[in-house]
Amino acid sequence: MERILGVNLSGWFIPEPWVTPSLYAATGASNAAELQQAMGTAAYNERMRRHYETFVSEDDFRRMAQIGLNAVRLPVPWYAFGSQESDASYISVIDYIDRAIEWAAKYDIRVLLDLATVPGGQGDSNDSPTTPEAVAEWHSSTNGRHVALDVLERLADRYGEAESLLGIELLDTPQMSVRKSLFTMTDGIPAHYLRNFYRDAYELVRSYMPEDKIVVFSSSGHPGEWKHFMRGAKYKNVYMDLHLYHYRDEHALDITSPRGLTTAISRNKRELKEAISTGFPVLVGEWSGAAIFANSSVTPEGRNAYERVFIANQLASFAPAAGWFFQTWKTEKRIAAWDARAALGTLERGMIE
């Protein structure tokens, strides 16, 4: 397979305050559920419909191709086909996924559909273990597993044969419960629950997708936990997704110092090596130019220069991986460390490739 050089399309179907702050202005909300509650269903759905129509366009796909990108990772919610419930109502985003698939085909870009939310919440393994921000109660919800499998099946049925489909990611960074000590486990979704779900989901989506389409599962921040997973001959083209961030976890260091930069890049290499040792091809599903700047005297220009060096070094460290997806393609405020148009757009094409 051609090496994957991609970006996430975060904030399009799942609104996020850091990507599109205007959607949340004067509401006090911090996520989609709170935003709907604050605005009321009718007003929320109308605002979201306008956002879906305008946030990403064909021109975005054209620009991605121009700078050398060949893939997008598209987070979709569990209510992608629409949902009418007693306490919430969501409009379908399928028409807009259709557009993304068509635009991708036009510009020779592949689409990885990523199931990014589930009922009850899956947590977020990107969070610091000491300060988790998201709830992981999906495994305890009444119909969460059924809903997740249903939307995956419907996505695979609709897009499985599409030329521009790269594949499907079965869950996005679920927080997995792992052993903390001899008698205690960390919070999160039990590992056996995730493994059983992934096996069932694989069989479901593979029945609609040819073997050249990939099926992706998350390392959940613990790549070593998956060494003996999906080893049967029936599992074809299965990839592991590894997220590598350096801006807020317990390992983060100031990249304005040579030691900080070297340590961050060494961590990338070490975690990639551990993930690859499990036998799966590995994708860096999310990464960014964001890092700690402890020196308050760094100017905006200096910050941009450090981030550029950091991004270039990270790109080089990803060489053993099957590819990567920068987080994210665009933000309203054009945040330099997170907006690929700013972070990658100024790099020489050969550096990206």
Side-chain angles (χ1 to χ4, degrees):
M1 182 185 293
E2 180 185 15
R3 183 167 167 76
I4 297 165
L5 313 171
V7 286
N8 285 275
L9 289 180
S10 298
W12 190 10
F13 301 143
I14 303 166
E16 298 190 53
W18 67 275
V19 179
T20 52
S22 66
L23 287 177
Y24 290 83
T27 66
S30 62
N31 56 48
E34 291 178 4
L35 187 60
Q36 180 169 174
Q37 188 174 20
M39 296 185 66
T41 297
Y44 170 82
N45 284 345
E46 183 55 35
R47 179 174 291 190
M48 292 312 301
R49 189 175 283 107
R50 289 199 304 270
H51 169 70
Y52 297 153
E53 286 280 350
T54 59
F55 186 61
V56 174
S57 69
E58 179 180 338
D59 189 58
D60 288 298
F61 281 78
R62 180 186 61 80
R63 293 178 65 188
M64 291 175 207
Q66 279 182 338
I67 65 172
L69 300 172
N70 61 20
V72 296
R73 182 172 177 265
L74 181 54
V76 299
W78 63 263
Y79 48 84
F81 289 86
S83 174
Q84 300 292 327
E85 304 200 344
S86 57
D87 59 342
S89 173
Y90 299 97
I91 59 176
S92 169
V93 300
I94 290 303
D95 289 346
Y96 306 100
I97 298 178
D98 287 350
R99 293 182 191 180
I101 293 288
E102 290 170 6
W103 292 334
K106 183 174 180 179
Y107 295 99
D108 201 21
I109 287 174
R110 309 289 297 282
V111 179
L112 177 64
L113 295 176
D114 166 40
L115 181 58
T117 69
V118 288
Q122 61 181 336
D124 187 349
S125 57
N126 294 324
D127 285 339
S128 169
T130 55
T131 56
E133 296 177 4
V135 177
E137 296 181 350
W138 168 59
H139 58 295
S140 302
S141 65
T142 306
N143 66 340
R145 191 178 195 275
H146 168 75
V147 169
L149 289 173
D150 179 64
V151 70
L152 286 169
E153 180 176 20
R154 295 175 73 181
L155 289 169
D157 183 23
R158 190 179 185 94
Y159 303 112
E161 299 283 349
E163 181 184 353
S164 60
L165 183 74
L166 174 63
I168 292 179
E169 183 158 355
L170 305 176
L171 278 180
D172 185 344
T173 63
Q175 183 180 330
M176 181 171 66
S177 175
V178 295
R179 186 158 299 284
K180 191 175 182 179
S181 65
L182 187 61
F183 301 108
T184 60
M185 303 289 288
T186 62
D187 292 334
I189 302 167
H192 69 86
Y193 189 95
L194 280 174
R195 289 190 176 96
N196 289 335
F197 172 79
Y198 285 147
R199 291 188 190 100
D200 291 347
Y202 173 89
E203 293 193 26
L204 202 56
V205 301
R206 184 58 82 203
S207 65
Y208 298 94
M209 297 195 315
E211 291 181 0
D212 66 328
K213 310 293 187 184
I214 69 174
V215 177
V216 184
F217 73 94
S218 172
S219 72
S220 287
H222 300 279
E225 296 289 321
W226 303 95
K227 277 187 177 177
H228 305 292
F229 183 57
M230 283 192 179
R231 276 291 167 264
K234 68 178 179 179
Y235 297 112
K236 311 287 187 183
N237 227 355
V238 179
Y239 282 57
M240 180 190 290
D241 178 2
L242 180 70
H243 292 187
L244 293 171
Y245 285 125
H246 297 276
Y247 68 100
R248 66 175 180 180
D249 62 25
E250 65 274 22
H251 305 293
L253 294 171
D254 180 7
I255 64 161
T256 63
S257 70
R259 178 178 174 272
L261 179 61
T262 301
T263 302
I265 300 305
S266 296
R267 181 181 152 218
N268 278 2
K269 294 177 179 178
R270 183 174 65 253
E271 294 195 19
L272 266 171
K273 184 177 180 179
E274 181 182 12
I276 291 168
S277 73
T278 63
F280 293 100
V282 176
L283 292 171
V284 181
E286 292 181 17
W287 67 284
S288 76
I292 290 177
F293 289 82
N295 187 346
S296 60
S297 66
V298 176
T299 63
E301 294 78 12
R303 187 184 186 96
N304 288 341
Y306 278 118
E307 286 173 347
R308 183 184 171 90
V309 169
F310 187 40
I311 286 169
N313 277 269
Q314 288 193 85
L315 284 170
S317 75
F318 298 155
W324 48 261
F325 294 91
F326 186 84
Q327 174 75 310
T328 184
W329 169 242
K330 68 194 303 187
T331 60
E332 278 184 346
K333 300 293 186 182
R334 210 177 180 92
I335 307 169
W338 294 94
D339 190 312
R341 299 169 303 171
L344 304 181
T346 58
L347 296 178
E348 294 180 14
R349 186 160 177 156
M351 192 178 293
I352 295 176
E353 296 173 347

